[in-house]
Amino acid sequence: KMNPTNILIGTDFGLFSYGKEEVPDYILGKTLEAKKHISKQEIYQSFKKAIAKLIELNHNPIILLQPPSPSIDPDKEMKLQIQKGVLSFENKWDAIPTTAIDKEVKTLLKDLNVTFIDLNRKMCTNNKCLTQNKDGSLYNGGGHLSYFGAKLFVEDIIKNLR
């Protein structure tokens, strides 16, 4: 049995639309049986059930909401800047908010005692979101936060630990 603890959950909620049913003993490239599509709603309900179970076991789930979606490849941009000799950085606003999916997740879990860390709140202003700040790129390719991106939320996470 596990002692109650803080559980930090971050996932790409956008992928909840692409769920597939488990195929027993599935081997990529070898199993011919097709995986049946599962509705986004079924995946959301399964996610909610898992979070409710964590709470029932006295854990403290902390949900990292979706980070803003970069419209460029920030990692590639950073490498290009460095190759050009740019070693000081300024704010770049090349991402779009993901508030619609955040709202879906908050609505789904509204009746559960969970903490949300809203990444858009700190990274976005006027529907534009940071991809780079004075420290460097906030992303490591795609929508994955870099060390500098994650650093923006460390205090928010720490203050919600029990």
Side-chain angles (χ1 to χ4, degrees), residues 134-148:
K134 65 178 177 48
D135 295 322
S137 179
L138 304 179
Y139 294 87
N140 279 337
H144 301 283
L145 293 178
S146 68
Y147 168 79
F148 298 118

Side-chain angles (χ1 to χ4, degrees), residues 6-42:
N6 298 289
I7 299 179
L8 187 62
I9 301 167
T11 188
D12 186 345
F13 294 105
L15 295 178
F16 280 25
S17 296
Y18 303 100
K20 302 278 185 174
E21 190 174 79
E22 181 182 351
V23 174
D25 303 317
Y26 179 83
I27 299 171
L28 183 64
K30 293 188 179 189
T31 303
L32 298 178
E33 183 180 347
K35 293 180 177 183
K36 185 178 127 197
H37 181 75
I38 298 174
S39 75
K40 180 177 171 179
Q41 200 55 36
E42 283 180 84

